[in-house]
Amino acid sequence: MHAWRGHAYGPPESLVWEEVADPPLHDGEIRLDVRAAAVNFPDVLYVAGTYQVKPTPPFIPGHEAAGVVVESRAPAFPVGARAIVLPGGGAYATRMVVSAGRAFPFPDDMPFDDAAAITLTYQTGWFALHRRARIAPGEWLLVHAGAGGVGSAAIQLGKAAGARVIATAGGADKVELCRGLGADVAVDYRSQDFVAAVKDATGGRGADVVYDPVGGDVFDKSTKCIAFEGRIVVIGFTSGRFPEARANHLLVKNYAVLGLHWGMYPERDPGAVAAAQVEIYRLYREGKVKPLIGDRMPMAQAPAAMAKVASRGSTGKIVLVP
């Protein structure tokens, strides 16, 4: 098999495409022929050694893939089965071995590129909106970075939940993309003050739920347009700055700040993850969600794809294909 490997922490271009030995297969595991792998911002952090989990070099990045089972020691995934896998690293390769507990079957009529892009961002959005924020129909949802992978998923999931969605994005093209995804209001943060736009759209009430994968100044400004008993869900920090929640401000304005690290759920509550995946597939069949795939690039261009995601030059998800 061939794989992109990091022999030391560094930027995406430090990865090396090389032949590596196929790992052994143990009980409860499957060997997957990778047909599509999604590029996620955490992959960039993983390679740099700044992710929550630091891999030991040499390592293979990639947290999300779809393919065909070519060898199995797990009854639920016979040879020939189609599977989505969330390996926690290892997806930027021609083949990989993963525990069946980190795999999901997916419908025969779902393309491999959609399958590779439908789990991490949609699971993150589902748990953030439904489990953490308990979003209700009719509430106002503010989604930051709406044209990105997690943001585009959150817009669709918010609309499917009956929420009214305000999305922020940088540039006219990305703003139009958010509207196309279903956002009721789309704000170009480069030229507009999203705080004022939220207050105007909500009649001064503010957003009931804020979905924030950016952090930094975006989080700080979101506290100025959060509604009474609103909830800010912290997804990540693509801005590079960890914001601080002021306890006195939470008290005076009666809002909550909630953290969402989805990666804990497969171990802590795998049943909830499986149930969420069923719901995501249902919404996909009903046409209410569909991964926004901004680009399909050859696996051979994985470092360039990662650099594009890191520079915010992409929309939706980039998917690597053979």
Side-chain angles (χ1 to χ4, degrees), residues 100-190:
R102 300 190 69 87
F104 304 93
F106 66 95
D108 290 340
D109 59 351
M110 182 182 290
F112 284 104
D113 52 0
D114 277 2
I118 202 170
T119 301
L120 277 181
T121 52
Y122 285 87
Q123 282 272 351
T124 297
W126 181 270
F127 274 80
L129 297 181
H130 291 282
R131 181 141 175 166
R132 302 295 283 142
R134 309 290 182 183
I135 196 164
E139 288 193 311
W140 282 100
L141 167 65
L142 172 60
V143 176
H144 290 301
V150 292
S152 59
I155 291 172
Q156 296 176 44
L157 288 168
K159 293 300 295 181
R164 293 172 288 180
V165 177
I166 304 168
T168 67
D173 291 345
K174 291 185 177 181
V175 165
E176 284 304 312
L177 190 152
C178 290
R179 290 195 181 101
L181 291 167
D184 299 276
V185 179
V187 181
D188 184 350
Y189 64 77
R190 293 178 180 175

